[in-house]
Amino acid sequence: MSFADEGEEAALALLRASFPRATYRETEDQLQRDALAVFRQDWSKLPEVRLHLRGTDFQLKVWETLLKIPERGLSTYADIARKSGFDSAFRAVGTAIGKNPVAFLIPCHRVIRSSGELGHYHWGAGRKHAMIGWEAARQEL
């Protein structure tokens, strides 16, 4: 799951480049419906979403740690490094966070700099700011 600013064809081309041996067909199944339910504010299905991720053991551990950031919570790169078991590798952790292939469901948008600045985001700083604001607004409701 990703943001596709360049349009559907460009998104499909990127997907084909990432998984060249896959067969593609347009369809919707229960896993997809469960994943998309989060955008209708049905968070009850989120634990049931299953992802197939490709990454190094280091990246997978960092992404797993991101999943533990509470809904509407924020964490820092240094905190994620510590919680992942890589205390002094916060820059490498930041790189792993930036390589997260799954937008929103693996909440890399919830990671900010220790200074309080939002920092970078794979899919754009404006989108990161909007998602953090949207989650904060939901908390106030």
Side-chain angles (χ1 to χ4, degrees):
M1 193 164 103
S2 180
F3 294 107
D5 293 330
E6 305 302 321
E8 193 172 315
E9 290 300 318
L12 183 57
L14 185 59
L15 191 61
R16 286 179 191 228
S18 297
F19 300 96
R21 295 186 190 158
T23 301
Y24 295 89
R25 61 188 164 94
E26 189 172 342
T27 185
E28 185 178 297
D29 62 18
Q30 191 59 46
L31 288 174
Q32 291 167 318
R33 284 189 289 277
D34 290 346
L36 294 173
V38 71
F39 296 103
R40 290 187 303 276
Q41 299 183 8
D42 179 4
W43 297 85
S44 64
K45 297 280 188 186
L46 194 55
E48 298 172 23
V49 174
R50 301 288 181 250
L51 300 171
H52 175 77
L53 299 172
R54 185 174 56 185
T56 66
D57 289 344
F58 179 82
Q59 289 170 328
L60 293 171
K61 180 64 178 170
V62 170
W63 300 338
E64 180 182 342
T65 303
L66 294 176
L67 292 170
K68 296 175 183 169
I69 301 173
E71 182 183 330
R72 298 178 293 260
L74 296 176
S75 191
T76 65
Y77 293 96
D79 192 43
I80 296 298
R82 184 181 53 76
K83 289 179 178 177
S84 298
F86 308 110
D87 295 9
S88 60
F90 60 91
R91 287 184 191 230
V93 165
T95 300
I97 291 169
K99 298 231 183 237
N100 168 24
V102 181
F104 194 78
L105 296 181
I106 297 179
C108 58
H109 65 279
R110 295 181 186 152
V111 182
I112 63 171
R113 295 179 177 163
S114 297
S115 66
E117 295 174 79
L118 290 184
H120 299 288
Y121 182 61
H122 180 88
W123 292 282
R127 188 171 275 131
K128 178 177 184 172
H129 190 266
M131 288 188 297
I132 289 171
W134 179 74
E135 289 182 340
R138 282 181 24 88
Q139 186 174 17
E140 293 175 13
L141 295 176

